[in-house]
Amino acid sequence: MKAKITLIAIASGFLLFGCGTSQPTENALIGKWQSVFGGVTCYFLPNQSYLYSQPSPPLTIRGRYEVGSGNRLILIPEDKGRRAMQFALEGDVLNEIQSDGSIYTFKRANW
């Protein structure tokens, strides 16, 4: 009986915390981010829009973003489809994990 209660407590904890909202992550993502290499700048705004800018070759992309389960960042550009990527956010460091395993690192910058 005690094992059954423990199992129910663990399952309940998983449901409460494992399926929680992504709002805290979205709030932490808001701001200006600059890549460590390459001069890429990303802005994540409170209204769930984003701006991606790189100097060479000149490129600017605007769109919306969503934070999905399992630390999935979903970018929805204005002009075409969706791009989902894995990410890790820790303080002022945002790591974008590519499908080939490479990692692009961004650091929070002043607005």
Side-chain angles (χ1 to χ4, degrees), residues 17-29 65-75 83-91 93-98:
F17 298 106
C19 299
T21 178
S22 61
Q23 194 63 36
T25 303
E26 287 177 14
N27 289 340
L29 195 59
Y65 70 91
E66 299 171 0
V67 175
S69 63
N71 281 358
R72 300 291 290 176
L73 179 61
I74 303 161
L75 301 179
R83 179 176 177 230
M85 68 189 81
Q86 193 78 24
F87 74 97
L89 178 60
E90 187 172 327
V93 176
L94 172 65
N95 287 313
E96 181 183 307
I97 304 160
Q98 304 298 308

Side-chain angles (χ1 to χ4, degrees), residues 40-56:
V40 173
T41 303
C42 291
Y43 298 87
F44 292 99
L45 305 174
N47 65 358
Q48 288 189 299
S49 64
Y50 76 92
L51 172 73
Y52 170 96
S53 176
Q54 72 181 33
S56 181

